[in-house]
Amino acid sequence: MSILKTRNLKKYYGGEPNMVKALDGINLEIEDGEFVAVVGTSGSGKSTLLHMLGGLDNPTEGIVTIAGNDISKMNQENLTVFRRRQIGFIFQNYNLVPMLNVYENMVLPLELDGKRKDARYLQQIITMLGLEEKLKNMPNQLSGGQQQRVAIGRALAGKPAIILADEPTGNLDSKTSQDVLGLLKMTSSKFHQTIVMITHNEEIAQLADRRIRIEDGRIVEGRWQE
Amino acid sequence: MDTGIIVGAVVAVGLSMVFWYGTWRYMRRKFVRYTQEMEEMIRRIQKGEYLNKEMLYNETLSSKTKQELLRLSDICRNERESSLRQKQEIQQMVSDISHQLKTPIANIVMYQDMLLSRKSSNQKRPGEEENWLRIMQSQVKKLDFLVQALLKMSRLESSMITLKLQEENLYQCIAEAVAQVTRKAKEKSLDIQVECPEETYLPLDMKWMAEAIGNVLDNAVKYSPNSGKITITVSKLELFVRVDICDEGPGIEEKHYADIFKRFWRAPGMHKEEGVGIGLYLTREILTRQGGYCRVNTAESGGSCFSLYLPG
Amino acid sequence: MKLDENNNRNIILHLAKSSVNNSRLRNFFTVFAIVLSVSLLMTMGTYTLGIETAMQRQVSDMQQVRYEVIDKTEAKKMAEEGDISYLLLIKQGVGIELGNKILLPSYYAQDTLKGKRSEVKLSEIEKDGTFPAKYEEAVVTREYCELMGITPKVGTSFPITGIDGVQEEFVISGILEGSWKSSGMYPVLFSERYAEEGRLLKDIPYSALVKLAGGEKMRQDAFEDRIVRLGADYGVKHKDVNPNNYFTGTLKGDTILAQQRIVTAAVGIGILFVSVLVIYSVFYLSVIGRTRQFGQLRTLGMTKKQIRKMVRREGMFLSLIGIPIGLLTGGIVAYFLKPAGWDWTRTLVMAVVVIIADVITVQISLAKPAALASGISPIEAAKFTGNVDTGKVKSEKYGTKRTARKGHGHKQGAVRPAVSGKLKRKLSPFGMARISAGQNRKKTFLTMFSLGVGGVLFMLAATFVVSVSLEEYSRQSTFEKGEYAITLSDNAAETSGRGLSGVQMDNPLNKEFVDGILSVDGVKKVYEYQRMEMKWEANGEAERDYVTGFDRVLFGRIQEKYMKHDSEVRSLNYDKMVENQQILILSNQTVEEVFGWKFKIGDKVKMAFDNGRQTIEKEYTVAGFIKDSDYYSENVINGWFQMPQELLDEVSGGLNLNDTIVVSTDESKEKSITPAIKSLVQENPNLILFTLKEQREQDKSSFTLLYAVILGLSMFIIGFSMLNLLNTLITNIITRKQEFAMLESVGMSRRQLNRMVSVEGLILSAGNAVMTLIAGTAAGYAGVMILRGFSAKYMHYHFPGWFYLGYIVVLIIVPLVVTSVMLRGFERQALTERLRVED
């Protein structure tokens, strides 16, 4: 069953004559539980694609369907609530809320939705991420790798339909990158979590079940599952 | 004056009763409507129908409940679909296996026929029979190897067995894996170097882990040039322990990085080498099941370098 | 709130709390602003209420009204009225001069006709004494005894010589409590029998001190109406109804009270307005500084509503801290300003009002920043501002919003509409500062504006201070033409037996005296002002008053002032007035206050003059009215009645009507003139000397207080402005830490950096200075003109140069100090560390 589908997704910036086609007709289908890497050079449109998939920005044209919901038709407020419940984000620069401690950061999406916390599930995540000792620390007391682990925890905590990871290891040294990637991989296999990861690094992309290559706003490889 | 108070009190009580009754009626109606809606949704899930996904994501309690129901329906559907997929996968595997078995069996049958027909005809050439028998023997060996591998794979794949994770010494595990390939390595006079702290205890399944490392080693031995060097390095990360296995072979093209761990995948142009493209697949499966992962890249020497990550 | 509303409110509270714990600087400024405004409001409000309370308490043991002339039997009947709660009969005789003191023969009934004696506080008799019972018994003050050399003991007998020279013997029955030293009057209390029969009191009518039941809760007009009717019922004329003005001043509907409250409220609203500006800009900057953070929260699924709520809650938390502190400080200050007026209930009510006002203020201030925060796009968080290598696609849509960050020219660089017009702009520290200020025009303008409001208010206050001409204020009326005023003593008039005319019959202000004054070296001119006492009758009232004359020239000047108005004075003719025996009425308004009616055109006024030789009775017709404010500068002595000089001459019979002379002198010779005039005046006990010098000193001390209040208030407002400036400067520097590090890394020296940031601050200061100069000058000028319109003729616009200069100095110093302190703080961190992105 496909959890994410895009049909003829287009995003243009600016107008003629110097219109930039960041995305130019993306058709994509991602299965439930799949770990997909979107690969492309800088400026290929992969980040724009992620923004569209996450409902952060509205496409110029086309449809994005996540877990059966056409998010390109939602209004801002519904989209926000949708994001909170169905999408987990992992960013290159972690994007933790500096004023909240590790635990609070992790449960923030749950709290924002007023949901009860599944203590056992959270404990499982925390153990997997090796954050038991750090729960009360503030983000600025953590290393980059640890911060990114918190971000993974945050993305997982809400049991989202899909996790979108934007260059999750872009800011990390090679050693911590391996940890973070391992955790993503584990997340994917252990929780059967759908993950879409954006990277420009082939070495990292090989960890995914499938690799989608994007160039100049078009998919050039890996549109469908082989 | 007293009557005024009494009348006032009666009116006040009456009004408040009307108010509370009205409020109660209103709440009750809302509640009934809400439960009916939920009931309807649950009934449809029971029937295996898919729920209408076009719901509003908004800041209401009912939206939250509905969403949880949707998730439940998704989970049910997923389970149905995944069991279906498993069935298909097993079918696919059976067909793959039978395809793999076909060649050696066909070979054996052919040489057997030739042997048998030879007996009736008298065109014998010296040593020819023995040669054929040798071929048959090698095919049977291959068959045996295949069956063994397929057995392992199917056991792993069909979740017939589970990995028993215990605190074990990774060093011993590596030693065991190296032992499996020592003979072949000696034949090619390869140098296998292991860099590992002797006491590296990790939660792992000794037997399967040795298999996983062994498969990579096997591969390395296979593609190493004579007198090449194979290094096994163990290093500790924050969350994972990494086992690097590097050889001096031809390496793997970057575009095939993701492919080599696939079932029955063999590097193009490598068909003459012994193997069925199952070893690395198994390695990946085993590692995944232990909460680890593996990847490959190219060493500076040009050979390939496999990294196995185990949660530490 | 909807029934089905999601139950996710707690996290917003939590986030707000955490955020409050995290941005100390903003908190400091916001809390400071709140504390400042709350404490100011609280002080002002509680103080104003305190004054009222103190007054109410003071008047609670005073009579509410005094019926000056009332018949004893009528008074007894009046006491039967249901709404009278207290009635005491008293008599107050004509004062007897004892040098510069006056002995006041009085009688206070021992028993009230109604109510307890203690309801109105009167001077009590010391313990060992008794109330005078016998005819010859009297109660005196200790000070009187001292003055007269009498032993202040019960039983001592002493004489009192009346105005008519007759001496009577009395025996002390008691001593009056309290210190009378500073008072000019020494009362002597007589017995009831003496009050009825004694020489000093028998001709004096009874007065009644009266309180109405529940009078303190009545409206002012209703109260006044009631006491007049009550009086009329028992034969008291309207003019003899003397309400206690202290008391009526505390009643609802009092215009002065209402005015005070309106002024207080207006100032309060002004303070709130200024604090709105401060809190608004503090939060505005705080929100801008947290753009990314809000973006993150939006990405994580925080709705706009939640973000808005969060920002508002932050404000509420800060209010929670600031309001109690402000209430406490304000309350304490108000208490010490007026301890007598402290009242818990009123203070609490005031506190509640202030709390509500400030909460509303904070919410108004936060509305815009909260909306701004909620409008932040989630993509802000996805954007990466640090590592240039990773180069991410940035869309123009959100690229322009973040003006402070300079985009790295990537693929989309071409579409940026915000291309600089020139290829290379001037990149000196000054030039860069200008570019930076220009990039954030709204922020810059906002800061300048809120700073400007403070500056304008400061200028307004400063203009007031420098524009008041104390000299002219002191010279108003009496001293307009001279520096000394010599006038006939009122005492002399009272004791002469024939009133003022009695004194004027042998007028000390005669030609000889004037010549004496003129002969003093330095005296330039002497102005003589005249008035004549008379008895008038009109509308059934009869009173003693004075009449003043005006000549043709003066009349011309008066008429001049009414040419533009629709007034009967315009068409009057001096000669016709003489011919038709017409007079003018000054301050008809006062007439209404005293008698309850006004003179009308054509009213006949009968006057009886005593010119020393004969008594002349005449009837005049009211021809017009003039306002006193138009007349003060013309004549230093004013009665209600003004008549042409010719008419006055008819009745004066050659009497020297001089009442006051004003001496114009060469002020440089003041040192020698004052003693000379003093000695001349002292020769005659019936003359009193007033000097401009004393007046000036008196005015100066009262204005010093006013200046202190005005400048103090404007200092507070400047405090708000400075708060704003500091906040802007500091936020500006902190949020651009990384940018500065980058500039340093590409070779900007610390001095250049310091100069650049300083110049940015100075641009703000300069804008503020210009705004203050233009708007402040305009406001100051307008303010002075308006005050002049309200007959504050002593105000002349002057530019408050020194104040402005001082303000500029502060405006220059603050950015320089802040910049260098902040940048020095950065130095402690390594450059590479600062270059890292910090979230």
Side-chain angles (χ1 to χ4, degrees):
Chain A
M1 178 198 127
S2 67
I3 194 130
L4 187 154
K5 238 187 271 181
T6 70
R7 283 285 166 267
N8 195 27
L9 193 62
K10 287 180 185 170
K11 180 72 180 179
Y12 298 160
Y13 292 116
E16 299 294 353
N18 38 12
M19 183 160 64
V20 174
K21 297 178 174 181
L23 292 179
D24 196 12
I26 299 273
N27 289 304
L28 184 65
E29 200 157 327
I30 290 169
E31 292 295 308
D32 194 13
E34 227 185 333
F35 184 176
V36 175
V38 176
V39 198
T41 53
S42 82
S44 59
K46 59 188 194 306
S47 280
T48 312
L49 175 63
L50 191 95
H51 293 162
M52 299 298 140
L53 298 186
L56 294 180
D57 207 350
N58 292 324
T60 310
E61 207 184 307
I63 291 171
V64 179
T65 316
I66 293 176
N69 300 279
D70 181 358
I71 66 169
S72 42
K73 286 208 185 76
M74 286 189 188
N75 71 21
Q76 275 294 316
E77 215 60 0
N78 291 344
L79 196 56
T80 304
V81 178
F82 172 82
R83 219 166 33 227
R84 182 204 282 167
R85 290 181 189 158
Q86 297 286 32
I87 295 186
F89 280 101
I90 299 171
F91 291 105
Q92 178 173 13
N93 49 345
Y94 332 126
N95 267 329
L96 298 181
V97 180
M99 60 209 181
L100 299 181
N101 68 25
V102 166
Y103 181 76
E104 290 166 337
N105 259 293
M106 282 178 61
V107 297
L108 183 60
L110 292 177
E111 294 271 14
L112 282 177
D113 206 20
K115 270 193 196 140
R116 286 181 55 187
K117 281 159 262 177
D118 183 343
R120 267 177 56 195
Y121 173 67
L122 279 175
Q123 191 53 51
Q124 207 181 344
I125 299 174
I126 291 165
T127 316
M128 179 183 95
L129 297 170
L131 289 171
E132 297 101 323
E133 308 288 316
K134 303 277 180 195
L135 288 181
K136 284 188 182 154
N137 288 32
M138 300 308 277
N140 58 12
Q141 297 170 306
L142 302 180
S143 70
Q146 285 167 332
Q147 289 193 49
Q148 196 59 297
R149 270 143 62 186
V150 177
I152 293 174
R154 180 176 66 190
L156 275 173
K159 299 184 188 171
I162 187 163
I163 287 181
L164 298 175
D166 188 2
E167 297 274 8
T169 60
N171 266 5
L172 302 175
D173 59 42
S174 105
K175 222 172 161 183
T176 31
S177 293
Q178 295 169 44
D179 273 330
V180 165
L181 287 171
L183 287 170
L184 278 179
K185 190 78 187 150
M186 262 170 101
T187 302
S188 156
S189 57
K190 201 166 179 176
F191 300 112
H192 196 68
Q193 177 69 57
T194 315
I195 300 177
V196 177
M197 175 174 74
I198 282 187
T199 180
H200 67 285
N201 188 338
E202 292 285 350
E203 222 184 290
I204 293 167
Q206 66 171 295
L207 295 181
D209 303 330
R210 179 155 62 107
R211 193 179 45 181
I212 292 166
R213 178 174 291 280
I214 187 166
E215 265 169 35
D216 293 328
R218 291 167 180 278
I219 292 177
V220 292
E221 178 194 327
R223 186 167 314 159
W224 309 104
Q225 198 171 16
E226 289 139 59
Chain B
M1 191 180 119
D2 279 346
T3 48
I5 291 174
I6 291 167
V7 169
V10 167
V11 168
V13 168
L15 279 178
S16 75
M17 271 167 68
V18 168
F19 173 75
W20 286 116
Y21 180 71
T23 311
W24 185 82
R25 287 286 304 188
Y26 172 75
M27 304 280 262
R28 170 81 191 161
R29 225 179 50 218
K30 283 241 154 189
F31 186 60
V32 168
R33 195 179 298 161
Y34 175 72
T35 45
Q36 280 171 344
E37 223 171 288
M38 292 300 136
E39 236 178 290
E40 175 59 24
M41 287 179 88
I42 293 167
R43 202 174 297 143
R44 283 168 62 189
I45 293 172
Q46 283 169 347
K47 277 197 247 164
E49 278 176 36
Y50 299 152
L51 292 177
N52 174 21
K53 292 284 183 75
E54 289 301 323
M55 60 172 280
L56 276 183
Y57 283 83
N58 52 28
E59 288 276 39
T60 58
L61 293 173
S62 52
S63 151
K64 239 159 57 170
T65 323
K66 281 181 198 165
Q67 198 234 327
E68 288 299 320
L69 278 171
L70 278 181
R71 182 169 285 169
L72 177 67
S73 110
D74 277 348
I75 289 171
C76 293
R77 184 156 61 138
N78 261 334
E79 255 160 34
R80 271 195 296 276
E81 285 188 357
S82 79
S83 72
L84 198 73
R85 202 169 37 227
Q86 243 171 8
K87 235 184 258 169
Q88 285 171 341
E89 248 169 52
I90 289 169
Q91 268 174 12
Q92 179 65 40
M93 199 157 70
V94 169
S95 87
D96 280 350
I97 290 171
S98 53
H99 183 76
Q100 294 293 326
L101 292 176
K102 235 191 248 161
T103 327
I105 290 176
N107 277 344
I108 293 169
V109 169
M110 186 181 79
Y111 286 105
Q112 204 181 15
D113 282 353
M114 279 162 75
L115 271 176
L116 286 175
S117 61
R118 245 308 157 91
K119 269 197 177 136
S120 54
S121 78
N122 290 317
Q123 299 174 327
K124 270 188 199 167
R125 252 185 262 166
E128 207 176 39
E129 269 184 27
E130 205 187 307
N131 201 15
W132 288 348
L133 280 172
R134 284 242 164 80
I135 291 171
M136 280 174 70
Q137 192 191 24
S138 85
Q139 291 299 321
V140 170
K141 257 190 193 162
K142 192 175 179 180
L143 212 52
D144 178 54
F145 172 80
L146 251 175
V147 170
Q148 289 293 327
L150 290 172
L151 209 62
K152 280 179 202 158
M153 189 180 83
S154 63
R155 273 161 67 194
L156 210 57
E157 192 89 331
S158 56
S159 314
M160 268 158 58
I161 53 138
T162 47
L163 299 182
K164 291 190 189 72
L165 299 184
Q166 278 173 312
E167 288 288 314
E168 303 269 11
N169 196 344
L170 181 65
Y171 184 76
Q172 269 183 8
C173 188
I174 292 171
E176 207 168 290
V178 171
Q180 286 173 18
V181 293
T182 319
R183 197 181 52 81
K184 282 189 205 161
K186 267 200 180 132
E187 280 171 14
K188 292 175 95 170
S189 52
L190 298 176
D191 177 15
I192 300 181
Q193 288 183 353
V194 180
E195 237 179 273
C196 174
E198 284 184 29
E199 308 269 311
T200 311
Y201 284 94
L202 288 177
L204 48 83
D205 185 304
M206 198 68 165
K207 209 180 98 210
W208 284 100
M209 194 59 208
E211 167 83 26
I213 298 172
N215 285 345
V216 177
L217 266 179
D218 203 41
N219 229 44
V221 168
K222 209 187 294 175
Y223 292 108
S224 280
N226 285 339
S227 324
K229 198 165 89 180
I230 296 173
T231 50
I232 302 175
T233 323
V234 174
S235 48
K236 179 115 182 61
L237 303 174
E238 203 169 341
L239 290 173
F240 292 86
V241 170
R242 185 174 76 185
V243 182
D244 287 328
I245 299 153
C246 299
D247 62 44
E248 292 177 333
I252 295 155
E253 273 183 77
E254 199 180 279
K255 62 175 180 182
H256 295 310
Y257 278 173
D259 299 326
I260 58 165
F261 295 105
K262 284 181 181 154
R263 200 163 56 196
F264 306 123
W265 190 87
R266 300 193 63 192
M270 292 286 180
H271 283 295
K272 59 176 189 273
E273 294 291 336
E274 175 189 347
V276 290
I278 217 166
L280 291 177
Y281 170 76
L282 266 179
T283 299
R284 193 175 86 147
E285 272 310 284
I286 292 165
L287 278 165
T288 302
R289 271 156 206 266
Q290 291 188 45
Y293 67 106
C294 54
R295 61 179 206 178
V296 65
N297 50 25
T298 307
E300 274 170 39
S301 62
S304 48
C305 209
F306 286 85
S307 301
L308 313 186
Y309 295 86
L310 283 162
Chain C
M1 206 176 80
K2 278 193 308 189
L3 198 63
D4 197 20
E5 171 122 11
N6 202 350
N7 57 340
N8 53 0
R9 306 168 58 125
N10 292 346
I11 181 65
I12 302 304
L13 211 74
H14 184 77
L15 275 171
K17 225 188 277 181
S18 306
S19 155
V20 163
N21 286 335
N22 258 269
S23 35
R24 296 267 153 75
L25 187 72
R26 180 204 61 191
N27 294 351
F28 172 76
F29 284 123
T30 314
V31 169
F32 201 82
I34 293 173
V35 167
L36 218 57
S37 73
V38 168
S39 58
L40 265 176
L41 286 184
M42 189 67 188
T43 307
M44 260 179 21
T46 318
Y47 178 65
T48 312
L49 283 184
I51 290 175
E52 286 172 25
T53 311
M55 187 76 109
Q56 279 172 0
R57 282 186 186 156
Q58 219 182 330
V59 301
S60 70
D61 51 13
M62 281 180 170
Q63 82 276 9
Q64 294 172 350
V65 57
R66 177 170 163 166
Y67 292 113
E68 300 283 3
V69 177
I70 190 165
D71 190 70
K72 198 175 179 183
T73 44
E74 289 289 322
K76 277 180 183 159
K77 279 192 235 157
M78 185 195 259
E80 305 292 312
E81 285 279 342
D83 57 353
I84 285 186
S85 65
Y86 176 90
L87 196 153
L88 181 78
L89 282 178
I90 64 165
K91 271 192 182 185
Q92 234 157 39
V94 179
I96 304 167
E97 280 194 61
L98 303 164
N100 59 348
K101 301 287 182 183
I102 290 170
L103 184 70
L104 199 64
S106 320
Y107 159 73
Y108 286 88
Q110 190 170 14
D111 299 308
T112 57
L113 290 177
K114 195 165 191 183
K116 284 205 197 84
R117 200 169 193 276
S118 62
E119 275 182 55
V120 169
K121 202 175 166 194
L122 298 167
S123 304
E124 295 298 328
I125 297 157
E126 281 182 9
K127 255 187 245 143
D128 51 352
T130 55
F131 206 82
K134 298 194 192 121
Y135 180 85
E136 68 278 8
E137 279 182 335
V139 171
V140 289
T141 60
R142 212 169 277 280
E143 285 78 5
Y144 172 74
C145 294
E146 251 167 58
L147 186 71
M148 303 305 288
I150 306 162
T151 328
K153 261 182 81 179
V154 175
T156 315
S157 59
F158 67 101
I160 295 178
T161 312
I163 302 173
D164 51 6
V166 179
Q167 188 173 324
E168 284 175 291
E169 281 291 323
F170 294 96
V171 178
I172 296 178
S173 75
I175 304 290
L176 263 188
E177 268 185 346
S179 169
W180 295 82
K181 205 155 259 163
S182 56
S183 163
M185 304 250 201
Y186 294 151
V188 51
L189 302 187
F190 296 110
S191 63
E192 186 176 356
R193 262 189 64 206
Y194 186 86
E196 295 278 351
E197 300 157 21
R199 294 175 47 80
L200 293 173
L201 289 177
K202 69 177 179 200
D203 294 333
I204 306 287
Y206 277 103
S207 297
L209 303 184
V210 170
K211 282 175 105 174
L212 294 189
E216 67 280 356
K217 292 200 177 75
M218 292 169 84
R219 284 192 61 83
Q220 198 183 38
D221 41 5
F223 175 80
E224 278 168 358
D225 203 42
R226 178 66 192 143
I227 55 173
V228 168
R229 272 198 295 109
L230 254 177
D233 287 349
Y234 297 96
V236 183
K237 290 186 190 148
H238 191 150
K239 75 171 177 68
D240 291 327
V241 177
N242 180 6
N244 181 348
N245 287 335
Y246 286 117
F247 170 74
T248 52
T250 65
L251 292 180
K252 278 185 223 107
D254 182 67
T255 46
I256 295 171
L257 191 71
Q259 275 170 8
Q260 257 173 17
R261 285 182 172 176
I262 287 171
V263 168
T264 310
V267 174
I269 288 169
I271 290 171
L272 288 176
F273 176 70
V274 176
S275 43
V276 163
L277 279 180
V278 174
I279 299 170
Y280 170 73
S281 62
V282 168
F283 263 82
Y284 183 86
L285 294 183
S286 145
V287 165
I288 287 185
R290 289 187 291 164
T291 304
R292 263 182 55 108
Q293 200 188 321
F294 287 119
Q296 284 171 24
L297 292 170
R298 293 278 289 129
T299 309
L300 293 177
M302 204 155 161
T303 58
K304 289 184 175 190
K305 214 170 133 193
Q306 284 176 314
I307 296 256
R308 239 190 332 257
K309 253 192 209 163
M310 178 180 156
V311 175
R312 283 178 174 278
R313 286 279 156 77
E314 285 174 22
M316 290 314 290
F317 274 120
L318 296 178
S319 304
L320 226 56
I321 303 166
I323 288 179
I325 299 175
L327 287 180
L328 205 67
T329 16
I332 289 170
V333 171
Y335 175 80
F336 282 109
L337 281 178
K338 196 83 191 173
W342 187 256
D343 180 274
W344 278 108
T345 335
R346 289 190 169 200
T347 306
L348 287 179
V349 169
M350 188 35 85
V352 170
V353 170
V354 170
I355 288 172
I356 293 170
D358 242 81
V359 166
I360 293 172
T361 305
V362 170
Q363 289 307 321
I364 290 174
S365 322
L366 292 188
K368 188 75 206 301
L372 181 76
S374 73
I376 289 170
S377 147
I379 295 181
E380 294 293 331
K383 278 185 20 188
F384 182 59
T385 49
N387 199 343
V388 182
D389 295 338
T390 47
K392 301 187 43 166
V393 182
K394 284 187 192 111
S395 64
E396 188 44 43
K397 196 176 147 218
Y398 41 90
T400 43
K401 240 193 215 165
R402 295 173 59 98
T403 41
R405 306 264 168 271
K406 308 200 166 80
H408 331 292
H410 282 312
K411 242 180 126 185
Q412 263 81 17
V415 260
R416 285 189 161 268
V419 225
S420 69
K422 289 180 211 151
L423 179 60
K424 180 188 161 293
R425 288 179 286 185
K426 214 177 148 210
L427 291 183
S428 66
F430 180 78
M432 290 190 58
R434 242 193 37 215
I435 293 168
S436 163
Q439 270 187 338
N440 227 329
R441 244 177 245 139
K442 189 173 174 192
K443 199 170 102 180
T444 311
F445 173 78
L446 185 76
T447 315
M448 280 192 192
F449 178 71
S450 58
L451 283 173
V453 169
V456 167
L457 287 171
F458 173 73
M459 283 291 274
L460 207 54
T463 305
F464 177 77
V465 170
V466 300
S467 294
V468 167
S469 164
L470 258 183
E471 178 73 12
E472 280 185 43
Y473 182 78
S474 302
R475 274 184 184 272
Q476 275 186 110
S477 68
T478 311
F479 295 109
E480 190 170 323
K481 293 193 174 114
E483 290 72 40
Y484 301 90
I486 301 154
T487 162
L488 294 179
S489 141
D490 283 348
N491 265 331
E494 283 211 21
T495 51
S496 74
R498 302 181 75 164
L500 183 63
S501 300
V503 184
Q504 283 169 335
M505 276 159 70
D506 182 21
N507 201 331
L509 293 173
N510 49 24
K511 178 119 190 349
E512 193 188 332
F513 180 78
V514 172
D515 287 344
I517 296 286
L518 279 169
S519 69
V520 173
D521 179 36
V523 171
K524 288 194 282 198
K525 205 174 170 187
V526 170
Y527 300 89
E528 295 171 44
Y529 297 101
Q530 306 177 324
R531 64 176 178 176
M532 186 174 185
E533 190 173 7
M534 49 85 191
K535 234 181 194 162
W536 60 268
E537 258 182 72
N539 288 327
E541 299 283 353
E543 274 290 308
R544 280 195 164 277
D545 199 356
Y546 307 94
V547 61
T548 313
F550 54 82
D551 57 19
R552 206 179 289 275
V553 183
L554 182 52
F555 178 75
R557 279 212 295 276
I558 295 170
Q559 215 173 16
E560 188 93 359
K561 290 181 181 168
Y562 288 87
M563 286 320 280
K564 281 181 202 141
H565 303 276
D566 179 26
S567 167
E568 63 293 329
V569 179
R570 220 165 36 168
S571 54
L572 289 176
N573 176 295
Y574 187 80
D575 294 322
K576 284 265 168 61
M577 284 185 78
V578 176
E579 193 180 311
N580 300 335
Q581 306 268 312
Q582 285 176 325
I583 56 169
L584 295 177
I585 302 289
L586 186 67
S587 30
N588 206 2
Q589 197 63 38
T590 323
V591 177
E592 190 180 21
E593 277 167 33
V594 175
F595 296 111
W597 48 261
K598 271 185 177 179
F599 284 109
K600 293 185 289 294
I601 303 277
D603 275 0
K604 303 285 181 207
V605 184
K606 238 189 234 168
M607 293 190 195
F609 302 90
D610 174 9
N611 61 19
R613 276 186 295 245
Q614 54 176 335
T615 305
I616 302 171
E617 288 202 21
K618 284 217 157 159
E619 197 177 71
Y620 299 95
T621 315
V622 174
F625 308 100
I626 43 182
K627 273 197 290 179
D628 37 5
S629 60
D630 293 323
Y631 198 62
Y632 276 150
S633 57
E634 301 295 350
N635 200 334
V636 298
I637 38 180
N638 297 298
W640 287 344
F641 305 99
Q642 316 285 322
M643 62 173 64
Q645 194 63 43
E646 274 87 342
L647 291 180
L648 191 58
D649 289 343
E650 271 177 28
V651 292
S652 65
L655 191 69
N656 181 353
L657 293 182
N658 276 1
D659 180 74
T660 299
I661 62 168
V662 172
V663 185
S664 161
T665 59
D666 177 358
E667 280 190 77
S668 61
K669 292 180 180 156
E670 193 266 339
K671 282 230 164 67
S672 63
I673 296 170
T674 306
I677 291 182
K678 234 178 204 164
S679 71
L680 277 174
V681 169
Q682 271 165 356
E683 279 171 20
N684 196 312
N686 287 346
L687 290 180
I688 295 171
L689 173 69
F690 297 98
T691 65
L692 175 62
K693 202 179 160 200
E694 286 165 1
Q695 182 72 34
R696 272 186 198 144
E697 269 157 26
Q698 199 185 323
D699 291 341
K700 200 175 165 188
S701 70
S702 60
F703 263 90
T704 309
L705 190 73
L706 187 65
Y707 288 166
V709 170
I710 289 175
L711 285 179
L713 212 62
S714 66
M715 280 303 172
F716 261 111
I717 289 159
I718 290 273
F720 276 118
S721 292
M722 285 301 139
L723 214 60
N724 225 334
L725 180 63
L726 272 178
N727 176 56
T728 312
L729 290 172
I730 295 176
T731 325
N732 186 26
I733 294 173
I734 285 181
T735 51
R736 289 164 60 201
K737 190 172 168 187
Q738 200 198 335
E739 184 189 324
F740 294 157
M742 190 267 288
L743 286 172
E744 268 188 79
S745 73
V746 297
M748 192 180 241
S749 77
R750 189 161 305 277
R751 266 190 59 198
Q752 285 174 315
L753 183 65
N754 200 327
R755 208 177 309 155
M756 181 186 99
V757 182
S758 299
V759 167
E760 279 189 41
L762 288 178
I763 287 175
L764 280 180
S765 291
N768 177 17
V770 170
M771 202 133 114
T772 302
L773 182 63
I774 295 170
T777 307
Y781 188 76
V784 168
M785 286 303 136
I786 289 167
L787 282 175
R788 277 182 72 87
F790 285 115
S791 74
K793 301 281 190 262
Y794 52 89
M795 306 239 10
H796 296 282
Y797 181 75
H798 287 285
F799 180 72
W802 287 108
F803 287 96
Y804 185 66
L805 201 66
Y807 186 62
I808 298 274
V809 168
V810 174
L811 279 181
I812 291 173
I813 287 176
V814 168
L816 294 183
V817 170
V818 169
T819 306
S820 86
V821 168
M822 294 291 293
L823 290 182
R824 196 153 300 158
F826 283 169
E827 274 177 53
R828 279 187 229 118
Q829 240 178 336
L831 187 59
T832 45
E833 220 170 306
R834 277 182 282 142
L835 269 172
R836 275 181 47 195
V837 204
E838 276 185 25
D839 286 302

